[in-house]
Amino acid sequence: IEKVFPNILDYFSLKPAKGMSLEAAEKLAVNVKPDKKDKILTKLVEHKDQSLAIHLLNAAVGGWTLVKLANLDELEQRLYLAAVTLHDLNKIVLTQLGNVRMDGKEGDKYHHYFDVWAETLGLWKFISSEYWQDIAFLAQNAEDARGANLTFANFQEIKLAPEHLMDLADFVRFADLLASMAHRPDSLYQENIRAIVRRRLKDKYVIRHHRTIENRGLLTQTIHNAVLEKSREVGWIAFLFFPDGITYFAPKDSEKPDLSNLAEIVRSHILKTAAKGLNSLIYRQPKGIISCKPDMKEVADVELAAETLIRQVFNILGEKRSPVTGERREKIKLLPELVNLDWNYPTNLQVDRLAEGVRGLVDILKEYYEVSEEKAIQALLNALDMNEYVEALQRIPALGGVPHGWYFLAGHYIGKNGSLNDAELENVMIKAIRRVITEWGKPEQLIPFAFLDAYIAQVLDTSDSDKQHDFEKELNRYHRNKANRKREPICAVCNSAFDVREEFSSYTNKRVTSLSKESLRGICTVCQVEKLLRSYSLRRTLEADDDIVYLHLYPDYYFTPETALIMNRAYKSFAQNVFSDLDKELAKHSYNPKYIPRADVFRVGTDSKENEKRRLEKVEYLEGQMHGYYLLGIPALFKKPTDTEVWHIPALLTLIAPLAFGVKVVASRSTLPPYDSGADFKETAVLDGVHTYWQHSIRKSSFRLDELTNAIPAAFSVYALTSQAYRDSKNFPVWNALNNVSQSLDTSPLYVFHYAERILENIKKEERKKKTTQLNDPSIIVSTKWFNY
């Protein structure tokens, strides 16, 4: 990792190992016979993208668990890693399809290439060069048949015994198979893989997996970690992590994980996560009504809900807030039918708090005990020793929806009991609600998220099952609901078959407006839980926001325990870069994308206090969890941003993040994963619904790995032209001008010279202010790169 892998990143991050554009495939297959060419091209293009750097990393660390289980010694481990590094030497040195072997006349050529690249990659700093033929033998035998070279006469200077090298070759072969075939958790049941595991682990371990047939995001990751926890209890060892599941080494005679209480574990995690965000479930309407959101009943018992509401009353009605009791008293007391009431009471902030707090407690009692409002009011007034005010409370109308009666009641309570500080007032309300709960007994509470048992059973696929997503059934249900919306509720987010709670305007405006019909549009219980998890872990919901674009990060085939840990640590430190930072970093290297892997794209190495100003929306995962998918929100760093301003940084990061972290990236306004797994799409970077400026300037919204070589400099060129040509009064870039620049360049690339002149004029203005005469700006050079693109 320290001596070799940085060099691998430098040289191979943009070189395809699997999957490429048609243009790149045609160059690679230029000498293929015509009768085989179409088949070869189709194969190269249809493969999922994977860079050679990530292919080598995935191979090395993908097989590392097998290496450790087999107890290889340090020399064997070094030989294994060195052989994996050079096992694809043909892809490294050849510009066309072909094969260089350590064999006959090819031997000298192979030796030359081998030595050059071993030196270039720093391999001899990791292992002695005296083992070069041992490494070459292992590297040449990374495949079972095609390309294998088992003739020891070709390797006269090996240090290890031939039978020893034959054993070690199994590990290299296993690593290459993983890096080539492991697209999903259940990809490794081929006999050649099983045979290697049997031989090398002496028939003690077998391959096992679990997989979900869909990826909802945080809920799915919660299910994966719950299964992982249960699998560890029976000795299963997780070694590959995917967005839709995990692959394990399982002791041959081990029991299957006991998943009978899996729903309960997931439920417990959701409630634990929700406990951090109960305050967000309390809200206040402008008319003075403090209430709980519907989700509160699902995640908290009656006492916790009441105490949360009481605490939030003091936050919502803070010290800087002006009291409204006096103003509202003046509006209501003039009604003829109320003139005989006693309107003489205090009108301070504590009265506001007591009025709105007790009124909110009434709603909680109604919701949890399913009793009438009258019964709830009577119980609370009795607990407050305010029974004599029941009749007055009922007489005072809620004009315009304002609960005037509660301000009247609270005013008289404060008048009777004197001035109360915050702690005393909080204690009054808590004692009152606890007294009611004690008298009534705790209500019978339904199992939280009861649907989880059925949902998990429906989506979870383990090694001894074969579940498939029933797309036809879901499609038929969707068409049925569209035709007969009145008959069956439908989730506006996902169309699942689970219970739906109506939430107008949260996800759709397609509501039936007839007074005789019920809408039945809203959110299903599955999406409700996903929404809750996001509210507490991400501080966002399922709704698309106008000021944020989400990056969905998928592993390039898979994460391993090592790469998942690195990704998790990096993710926690992510902060947002602005264009000037990225531009400054890449300008040093003439915008050559090969240097991006060494650039700090997400400010991981920057001071954490400084990064607080560069916020990103990140999920707060629990410690110890492992993930095969990450969600990252990129908010616009502007007030009331335009669509152009919202997209300009996420679009750029979508191109460079894959090179920096070895992931596939989909940028979208959608908060739900656009794809269940990275295996569902071929490209490395996808921009879903990007603003039209991008289509004018770059003209593509999805990119194969090799296409990033030109696309990244082109994008930086357009951005650099814009940032230098258009500046506001404070000398900040005017990113809205991306539209004009992109459209002009789309009309004619010659506009690049118009913007070059504009940039020169801006520079001259700055020089006149500074009284200097230096004309030095990289944007002029950069503009030619867009012209070439």
Side-chain angles (χ1 to χ4, degrees):
I1 293 299
E2 293 179 1
K3 297 177 180 178
V4 179
F5 191 64
N7 298 316
I8 290 176
L9 287 176
D10 286 344
Y11 287 101
F12 305 142
S13 290
L14 282 159
K15 190 173 185 63
K18 303 286 181 181
M20 61 192 69
S21 68
L22 179 59
E23 182 181 358
E26 287 174 339
K27 291 179 181 177
L28 196 61
V30 67
N31 290 328
V32 174
K33 294 179 179 179
D35 59 325
K36 296 181 179 180
K37 195 163 190 174
D38 285 347
K39 185 178 180 180
I40 294 293
L41 289 176
T42 300
K43 183 179 179 180
L44 291 173
V45 171
E46 290 303 314
H47 267 308
K48 312 295 188 297
D49 275 3
Q50 187 185 57
S51 73
L52 185 55
I54 297 306
H55 178 74
L56 298 179
L57 176 66
N58 280 354
V61 295
W64 191 246
T65 303
L66 182 70
V67 167
K68 300 299 283 187
L69 287 174
N71 293 315
L72 297 191
D73 62 32
E74 183 179 343
L75 175 60
E76 292 170 325
Q77 291 176 12
R78 289 178 180 269
L79 287 169
Y80 160 79
L81 291 171
V84 169
T85 300
L86 290 175
H87 83 277
D88 265 335
L89 189 61
N90 290 325
K91 292 178 182 176
I92 295 173
V93 301
L94 299 181
T95 58
Q96 300 169 8
L97 292 176
N99 191 17
V100 179
R101 293 164 54 84
M102 183 73 173
D103 188 3
K105 295 179 180 179
E106 293 284 319
D108 290 341
K109 185 191 291 186
Y110 181 89
H111 185 189
H112 169 72
Y113 288 143
F114 187 96
D115 198 46
V116 167
W117 279 101
E119 189 70 39
T120 300
L121 297 176
L123 203 60
W124 303 142
K125 297 177 182 177
F126 176 73
I127 188 171
S128 172
S129 60
E130 66 178 326
Y131 291 101
W132 84 267
Q133 286 204 5
D134 302 76
I135 298 168
F137 175 85
L138 296 175
Q140 286 265 284
N141 289 286
E143 299 182 43
D144 273 318
R146 183 179 63 83
N149 186 354
L150 296 171
T151 306
F152 279 98
N154 294 327
F155 304 91
Q156 297 287 334
E157 300 175 18
I158 56 175
K159 299 297 181 183
L160 274 64
E163 59 273 15
H164 193 172
L165 286 175
M166 290 292 290
D167 289 344
L168 288 178
D170 263 352
F171 293 94
V172 181
R173 196 171 299 127
F174 180 80
D176 185 46
L177 287 170
L178 290 191
S180 302
M181 299 169 56
H183 300 287
R184 296 190 182 277
D186 55 355
S187 296
L188 301 184
Y189 290 110
Q190 289 85 351
E191 181 53 33
N192 53 353
I193 294 178
R194 292 185 174 195
I196 292 174
V197 173
R198 282 196 299 269
R199 288 197 300 269
R200 301 284 58 92
L201 299 182
K202 298 178 172 41
D203 213 20
K204 293 180 180 179
Y205 287 86
V206 293
I207 300 287
R208 290 288 181 263
H209 83 278
H210 86 259
R211 178 186 173 191
T212 53
I213 60 175
E214 65 178 14
N215 179 12
R216 293 287 186 137
L218 303 191
L219 175 58
T220 303
Q221 297 302 308
T222 301
I223 293 172
H224 290 328
N225 276 280
V227 178
L228 176 61
E229 180 183 326
K230 299 299 290 185
S231 299
R232 284 170 172 164
E233 291 177 2
V234 293
W236 288 19
I237 302 169
F239 73 105
L240 299 182
F241 296 86
F242 303 85
D244 53 347
I246 300 174
T247 307
Y248 305 86
F249 283 118
K252 186 176 180 181
D253 299 322
S254 68
E255 298 178 358
K256 296 176 183 176
D258 179 10
L259 304 181
S260 58
N261 66 334
L262 186 65
E264 188 56 42
I265 295 173
V266 174
R267 190 174 289 119
S268 174
H269 168 82
I270 295 169
L271 292 174
K272 184 177 180 180
T273 304
K276 299 184 296 184
L278 289 181
N279 290 346
S280 66
L281 296 180
I282 308 297
Y283 69 104
R284 181 182 188 268
Q285 299 177 30
K287 294 178 180 179
I289 298 174
I290 294 179
S291 305
C292 298
K293 294 180 181 179
D295 296 329
M296 180 66 86
K297 191 175 181 181
E298 192 87 57
V299 299
D301 62 21
V302 61
E303 186 170 353
L304 180 57
E307 291 176 358
T308 302
L309 183 142
I310 291 168
R311 287 195 303 270
Q312 278 301 96
V313 164
F314 293 88
N315 292 328
I316 294 172
L317 303 178
E319 294 295 334
K320 296 181 180 179
R321 196 179 188 98
S322 300
V324 298
T325 300
E327 176 187 338
R328 292 181 172 177
R329 178 180 63 183
E330 297 306 313
K331 289 182 179 180
I332 195 73
K333 73 177 185 179
L334 299 178
L335 292 179
E337 64 272 25
L338 302 179
V339 293
N340 62 338
L341 293 178
D342 179 9
W343 295 99
N344 184 26
Y345 52 78
T347 59
N348 54 43
L349 188 59
Q350 298 297 58
V351 175
D352 286 15
R353 289 168 170 172
L354 182 62
E356 297 185 22
V358 175
R359 194 224 154 274
L361 294 177
V362 169
D363 280 350
I364 286 179
L365 292 175
K366 285 166 55 183
E367 181 69 25
Y368 277 82
Y369 288 95
E370 298 180 353
V371 298
S372 66
E373 184 171 349
E374 290 74 17
K375 184 173 180 180
I377 290 172
Q378 185 65 57
L380 271 173
L381 293 191
N382 185 52
L384 289 167
D385 196 22
M386 296 286 286
N387 279 325
E388 68 269 27
Y389 291 93
V390 172
E391 183 182 349
L393 185 64
Q394 293 171 343
R395 285 177 58 191
I396 300 174
L399 292 181
V402 177
H404 291 287
W406 289 103
Y407 294 101
F408 177 88
L409 175 82
H412 282 289
Y413 184 91
I414 297 296
K416 284 175 58 177
N417 293 276
S419 178
L420 300 173
N421 61 34
D422 290 359
E424 291 168 337
L425 183 60
E426 180 180 338
N427 190 49
V428 165
M429 289 188 277
I430 288 177
K431 285 178 65 177
I433 193 65
R434 285 179 178 172
R435 179 176 170 184
V436 175
I437 293 171
T438 301
E439 291 175 357
W440 288 7
K442 286 205 171 183
E444 184 178 341
Q445 194 167 3
L446 297 176
I447 298 175
F449 316 116
F451 79 93
L452 280 171
D453 298 85
Y455 175 71
I456 291 174
Q458 176 180 304
V459 302
L460 182 62
D461 167 33
T462 56
S463 300
D464 55 352
S465 65
D466 187 25
K467 285 190 174 66
Q468 298 294 329
H469 192 180
D470 194 342
F471 177 78
E472 182 180 1
K473 181 178 179 181
E474 184 174 310
L475 181 63
N476 289 337
R477 185 175 181 281
Y478 174 77
H479 286 308
R480 185 174 68 252
N481 288 338
K482 291 286 284 186
N484 305 291
R485 188 169 296 162
K486 172 66 173 72
R487 298 181 187 175
E488 191 174 354
I490 181 172
C491 177
V493 180
C494 74
N495 188 50
S496 78
F498 291 92
D499 292 339
V500 172
R501 183 181 74 209
E502 187 172 12
E503 281 194 11
F504 173 60
S505 82
S506 290
Y507 309 99
T508 177
N509 60 359
K510 296 176 181 177
R511 185 176 187 178
V512 178
T513 56
S514 169
L515 294 176
S516 63
K517 294 183 179 180
E518 188 177 359
S519 173
L520 297 179
R521 298 278 298 184
I523 182 172
C524 70
T525 51
V526 183
C527 289
Q528 177 196 352
V529 169
E530 184 67 26
K531 175 186 173 185
L532 280 173
L533 287 170
R534 288 163 188 263
S535 297
Y536 308 139
S537 300
L538 188 65
R539 295 179 181 83
R540 294 276 177 172
T541 67
L542 291 177
E543 302 166 45
D545 290 287
D546 291 337
D547 66 340
I548 190 167
V549 173
Y550 292 94
L551 301 190
H552 301 268
L553 309 179
Y554 301 87
D556 202 348
Y557 285 38
Y558 53 77
F559 291 136
T560 68
E562 297 80 13
T563 56
L565 183 62
I566 292 169
M567 185 66 189
N568 193 40
R569 289 176 177 173
Y571 178 83
K572 290 179 181 178
S573 302
F574 280 0
Q576 184 171 173
N577 258 326
V578 295
F579 174 72
S580 58
D581 294 336
L582 297 170
D583 186 58
K584 183 178 179 181
E585 187 73 25
L586 265 72
K588 300 174 187 175
H589 308 290
S590 300
Y591 299 90
N592 188 336
K594 67 172 285 187
Y595 293 98
I596 287 176
R598 295 203 180 214
D600 194 358
V601 173
F602 287 108
R603 300 173 65 85
V604 174
T606 309
D607 181 67
S608 57
K609 291 183 179 179
E610 189 177 338
N611 280 345
E612 290 176 3
K613 305 171 186 176
R614 306 286 190 87
R615 67 184 181 90
L616 288 174
E617 304 293 343
K618 296 179 291 186
V619 179
E620 294 178 4
Y621 292 115
L622 295 180
E623 285 296 324
Q625 289 194 339
M626 304 291 277
H627 301 283
Y629 159 86
Y630 287 88
L631 178 66
L632 189 65
I634 313 291
L637 299 177
F638 303 89
K639 292 181 179 179
K640 298 181 180 180
T642 63
D643 277 354
T644 306
E645 291 169 332
V646 169
W647 268 104
H648 85 283
I649 286 297
L652 204 58
L653 290 175
T654 301
L655 296 189
I656 60 181
L659 304 183
F661 292 99
V663 293
K664 288 185 166 189
V665 181
V666 179
S668 176
R669 287 288 182 91
S670 170
T671 62
L672 291 173
Y675 299 97
D676 290 338
S677 168
D680 292 335
F681 60 103
K682 297 178 292 186
E683 298 83 2
T684 292
V686 177
L687 294 161
D688 175 28
V690 67
H691 192 273
T692 54
Y693 82 82
W694 187 269
Q695 301 294 358
H696 282 294
S697 55
I698 308 301
R699 301 180 182 175
K700 287 177 69 72
S701 58
S702 60
F703 300 86
R704 304 305 297 262
L705 176 70
D706 58 276
E707 293 174 329
L708 296 178
T709 302
N710 288 330
I712 290 173
F716 270 87
S717 298
V718 176
Y719 279 49
L721 282 174
T722 305
S723 68
Q724 296 297 326
Y726 291 91
R727 295 269 173 168
D728 63 16
S729 58
K730 296 181 179 179
N731 206 32
F732 290 122
V734 179
W735 291 114
N736 267 335
L738 271 171
N739 293 301
N740 293 334
V741 174
S742 298
Q743 290 177 26
S744 298
L745 292 172
D746 193 16
T747 301
S748 171
L750 296 178
Y751 267 100
V752 74
F753 300 110
H754 162 73
Y755 292 113
E757 290 179 2
R758 188 181 178 105
I759 292 169
L760 286 171
E761 187 58 36
N762 287 344
I763 294 173
K764 289 175 182 177
K765 288 180 182 178
E766 288 299 310
E767 288 174 346
R768 283 194 290 269
K769 291 179 183 178
K770 299 176 182 178
K771 297 181 180 180
T772 62
T773 57
Q774 294 180 353
L775 289 177
N776 183 18
D777 192 278
S779 299
I780 310 302
I781 302 168
V782 162
S783 63
T784 61
K785 288 188 175 292
W786 190 92
F787 188 80
N788 291 334
Y789 179 71

